[in-house]
């Protein structure tokens, strides 16, 4: 007889204690297609695999409006954000993001600003005996995205914004001081950006010191929702932060890229060479291998079945992103860091290209119609350009705690990845420019 849900113990504390390992461990313990559990007192059903991705993102299966817990809204996403919308209202709001973020010219512009910010800041690292790469990468990204988005910030303000938006990401999943810092950071930045939006609306776009007409600030300020109304300044601020915050969060992947180059230095030379296909493969393997978003969730809109398994109406449906990216049924030796698994040269030699909805670090399905991340192309392009710069940089890695604890969400190397002896001149090819000590 199938166990009724009320007998399944609540797993919230296990999730907090086990972090990324929580769902994969439960999938390992069952021979069924789903994991049944409870979170925050609600029944929850976890799925994974490409078919599960298509089901999860399929029209009318799960909705987000009631699914996101208040602590996540008050830190990571913001109340009233695109993440909380469903159906037509979601599509209209999502179009705003797709127009800004999925446009090749826009992506090139952002990459150029980030590259310039790196080149500016790298000089100051040469003056310092010890640089925490995570902190510096977040400053680079904050300066780049603010300039691109048309946010009028001086460098000190951009550094402050970098600290606040990384705090929002760092504290969303943990009770205690990290969480309170995240709430305070969101309150502060929403109030400040809402003021900018009101100012931008008061001035005509492109004139009188208003934001450039094609900037993200101008686009958000003039956006009209499904009801035909402009966003109130607070919601406009939430959506601008929905561009700034995740762009700065690429610092997590930049830090992981440094970790990967340190652990597997054999990739450094090919990455430094500017081989674009390899840089893409390296970025995809960083996004697959290292833990960032553990899972995504929504509420079942009605009672449904998936592969014969009943999903009760209103239950939380979780898609196990981290578990899927490490599922041995989908990936050969999933715990081996191997950019070659995404290398087109390998496909040309008879390997198989990764099928859609298999690699899911930023969600799956169609980003226009569903909630898949609209910033995935930006993430890959920005990560590529910074990983190549990192591979060309000369530095040493002093002794430090490089452990990446799976219990912590989001995680990163404990030290933040400290480097010293930085020398920004491009290293001559083939000289083994990187020294690890
Ligand atoms: C740092 C790397 C990133 C990771 C790991 C990441 C991950 C994700 C994930 C897992 C989702 C949720 C998908 C779902 O709910 O089904 C998401 C949504 C989203 N991401 Fe990203 N993302 C990243 C970068 C970006 C960037 C660079 C941007 C914008 C410039 C961005 C903007 C968004 C927005 C606006 C949503 C909400 C989409 C919606 O609800 O329709 N993300 N991201």
């Amino acid at each position: 007889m199938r166990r009724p849900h009320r007998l399944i113990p609540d797993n919230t504390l296990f999730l907090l204690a086990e972090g990324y390992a929580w769902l994969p461990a439960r999938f390992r313990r069952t021979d069924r297609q789903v994991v049944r559990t409870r979170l925050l007192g609600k029944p929850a059903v976890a799925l994974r695999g490409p078919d599960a991705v298509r089901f999860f993102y399929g029209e009318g299966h799960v909705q987000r409006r009631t699914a996101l817990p208040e602590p996540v809204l008050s830190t990571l996403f913001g109340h009233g954000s695109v993440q909380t919308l469903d159906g037509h209202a979601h599509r209209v709001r999502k179009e705003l993001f797709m127009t800004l973020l999925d446009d090749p010219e826009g992506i090139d512009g952002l990459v150029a600003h980030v590259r310039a910010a790196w080149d500016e800041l790298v000089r100051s690292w040469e003056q310092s005996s010890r640089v925490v790469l995570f902190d510096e990468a977040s400053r680079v990204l904050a300066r780049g995205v603010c300039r691109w988005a048309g946010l009028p910030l001086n460098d000190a303000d951009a550094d402050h914004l970098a600290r606040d938006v990384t705090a929002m990401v760092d504290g969303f999943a943990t009770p205690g001081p990290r969480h309170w810092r995240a709430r305070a950071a969101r309150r502060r930045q929403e109030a400040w950006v809402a003021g900018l939006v009101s100012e931008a609306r008061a001035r005509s776009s492109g004139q009188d010191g208003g934001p450039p007409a094609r900037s993200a600030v101008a686009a958000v300020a003039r956006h009209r929702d499904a009801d035909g109304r402009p966003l109130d300044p607070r919601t406009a601020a939430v959506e601008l932060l929905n561009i700034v915050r995740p762009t700065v969060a690429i610092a997590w992947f930049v830090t992981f890229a440094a970790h990967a180059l340190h652990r597997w230095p054999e990739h450094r030379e090919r990455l430094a060479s500017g081989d674009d296909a390899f840089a893409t493969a390296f970025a995809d393997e960083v996004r697959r291998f290292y833990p960032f978003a553990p899972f995504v969730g929504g509420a079942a809109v009605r009672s449904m079945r998936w592969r014969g398994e009943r999903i009760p109406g209103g239950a939380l449906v979780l898609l196990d992103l981290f578990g899927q990216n490490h599922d041995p049924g989908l990936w050969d030796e999933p715990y081996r860091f191997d950019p070659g698994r995404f290398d087109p040269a390998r496909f040309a030699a008879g390997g198989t290209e990764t099928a859609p909805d298999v690699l899911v670090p930023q969600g799956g399905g169609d980003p226009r119609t569903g909630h898949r991340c609209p910033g995935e192309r930006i993430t890959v392009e920005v990560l590529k350009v910074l990983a190549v710069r990192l591979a060309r940089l000369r530095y040493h890695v002093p002794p430090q705690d490089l452990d990446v604890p799976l219990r912590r969400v989001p995680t990163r190397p404990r030290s933040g990845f400290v480097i010293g002896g930085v020398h920004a001149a491009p290293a001559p090819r083939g000289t083994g420019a990187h020294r690890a000590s």
Side-chain angles (χ1 to χ4, degrees), residues 56-57 64 82-83 90 94 97 101 242-243 246-247 249-250 253 292-293 296 321 361-363 370-375 378-379:
F56 181 85
Y57 288 97
R64 308 296 177 105
V82 64
Q83 284 92 343
H90 173 257
K94 190 68 179 278
F97 288 93
L101 307 177
N242 235 340
I243 293 173
T247 304
I250 299 171
F253 282 147
F292 202 176
V296 286
L321 303 181
Q362 295 174 239
H371 283 270
R372 186 186 191 137
C373 178
I378 284 184
T379 305

Side-chain angles (χ1 to χ4, degrees), residues 309-326:
E309 298 277 357
R310 198 173 89 78
I311 301 176
L316 261 179
V317 184
L318 307 177
L319 186 65
D320 180 15
L321 303 181
F322 177 74
Q324 179 168 329
N325 285 336
H326 296 82

Side-chain angles (χ1 to χ4, degrees), residues 328-344:
L330 296 171
W331 306 96
D332 190 26
E333 294 186 75
Y335 288 93
R336 191 160 65 89
F337 183 84
D338 175 19
R341 67 177 86 240
F342 295 110
D343 191 344

Side-chain angles (χ1 to χ4, degrees), residues 252-310:
W252 265 266
F253 282 147
V254 174
T255 308
F256 288 139
H259 186 270
L261 285 174
H262 180 61
R263 291 277 309 275
W264 300 284
E266 63 272 23
H267 300 303
R268 183 171 286 267
E269 192 174 340
R270 192 159 166 210
L271 193 58
S273 76
D275 174 342
D276 187 66
F278 183 73
T280 308
F282 183 87
D284 279 347
E285 182 65 345
V286 167
R287 295 191 310 129
R288 182 199 72 82
F289 181 81
Y290 285 97
F292 202 176
F295 52 75
V296 286
V301 293
R302 57 191 152 76
S303 176
M304 294 176 285
R305 281 192 177 274
W306 184 69
R307 293 201 167 167
E309 298 277 357
R310 198 173 89 78

